């Protein structure tokens, strides 16, 4: 099946967004784009097992941060969830957000919250310190790409993750 030019552009823009997010935020282990819900799922890994109480505290702080940001920006979100699963001695945090209201500022806020809460327990890829200025320039690019992706919705499920210092993105037409 051949994609229409508009659909190819939507997929390319979305792939570019996922790559930029993973490059800019080394704490993000993977990102999934879900076409059914038009949402992004960010996955983070912690080198500890969260207790149910600590997870509830994180959920409260996450909700408070989103509410405060929504109040300040006058932008409401349709979908915001935080879930955790434990595998061996690791906790996988999954944050789902709708693309319609997601902003780069919110992503930065979320990363800041996780850094503050978990410090060195938050798994992150090491970046070359000389690249930090370039990474900050990515924020403007991410904001621009988020706006573009809102207008052009890809019909493919996208999965982006890191492996051995590289960012890999896979597209799947089947909506799982």
């Amino acid at each position: 099946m051949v994609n229409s030019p508009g659909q190819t552009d939507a997929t390319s823009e979305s792939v570019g967004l996922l790559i930029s997010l993973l490059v800019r935020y080394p704490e993000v282990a993977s990102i999934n784009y879900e076409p059914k819900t038009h949402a992004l799922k960010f996955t983070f890994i912690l080198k500890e097992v969260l207790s149910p109480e600590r997870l509830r505290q994180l959920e409260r702080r996450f909700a408070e941060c989103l509410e405060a940001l929504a109040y300040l920006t006058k932008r409401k979100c349709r979908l915001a969830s935080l879930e955790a699963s434990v595998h061996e001695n690791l906790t996988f945090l999954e944050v789902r957000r709708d693309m319609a209201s997601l902003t780069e500022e919110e992503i930065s806020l979320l990363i800041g919250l996780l850094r503050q809460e978990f410090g060195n327990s938050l798994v992150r890829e090491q970046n070359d310190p000389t690249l930090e200025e370039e990474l900050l320039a990515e924020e403007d690019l991410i904001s621009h790409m988020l706006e573009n992706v809102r207008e052009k919705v890809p019909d493919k499920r996208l999965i982006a993750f890191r492996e051995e210092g590289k960012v890999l993105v896979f597209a799947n037409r089947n909506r799982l």
Side-chain angles (χ1 to χ4, degrees):
M1 177 177 239
V2 177
N3 286 339
S4 67
Q7 196 51 242
T8 301
D9 289 348
T11 300
S12 321
E13 295 241 7
S14 298
V15 167
L17 173 63
L18 298 186
I19 291 169
S20 291
L21 286 167
L22 286 172
V23 167
R24 172 61 188 103
Y25 298 106
E27 298 83 359
V28 179
S30 69
I31 306 172
N32 292 17
Y33 169 73
E34 301 167 350
K36 265 187 175 175
T37 57
H38 194 48
L40 287 179
K41 178 179 74 173
F42 297 85
T43 302
F44 302 91
I45 303 172
L46 302 175
K47 295 182 274 188
E48 65 180 88
V49 175
L50 288 188
S51 69
E53 177 56 32
R54 183 90 190 270
L55 180 59
R56 282 191 295 278
Q57 288 173 352
L58 178 62
E59 288 171 336
R60 277 194 298 275
R61 295 240 9 235
F62 174 66
E64 289 168 358
C65 286
L66 282 182
E67 286 173 20
L69 187 62
Y71 176 79
L72 292 171
T73 62
K74 312 267 189 272
R75 188 178 268 214
K76 295 193 183 212
C77 61
R78 267 191 352 237
L79 172 66
S81 70
L82 172 69
E83 295 178 13
S85 59
V86 175
H87 300 282
E88 299 193 12
N89 292 330
L90 301 173
T91 300
F92 291 79
L93 294 175
E94 292 183 348
V95 176
R96 276 190 172 77
R97 280 292 288 112
D98 66 281
M99 290 287 295
S101 65
L102 182 66
T103 64
E104 192 285 324
E105 292 84 6
E106 181 184 330
I107 297 167
S108 291
L109 178 69
L110 172 62
I111 301 294
L113 171 66
L114 293 175
R115 284 178 184 162
Q116 181 181 7
E117 289 290 317
F118 301 107
N120 290 332
S121 181
L122 179 61
V123 174
R124 67 176 278 150
E125 185 172 278
Q126 294 303 314
N127 283 334
D128 183 350
T130 60
L131 295 177
E132 195 61 32
E133 277 186 30
E134 292 175 26
L135 293 177
L136 292 175
E138 284 286 317
E139 292 176 6
D140 288 334
L141 180 61
I142 290 169
S143 291
H144 178 71
M145 292 174 131
L146 277 169
E147 290 299 322
N148 287 344
V149 169
R150 283 188 193 106
E151 296 168 13
K152 302 173 189 170
V153 182
D155 66 348
K156 295 180 180 177
R157 183 170 193 227
L158 303 173
I159 302 167
F161 60 92
R162 288 188 182 78
E163 186 173 296
E164 297 178 11
K166 296 178 184 171
V167 173
L168 303 171
V169 181
F170 294 92
N172 182 346
R173 181 165 302 282
N174 297 330
R175 297 178 183 181
L176 302 175

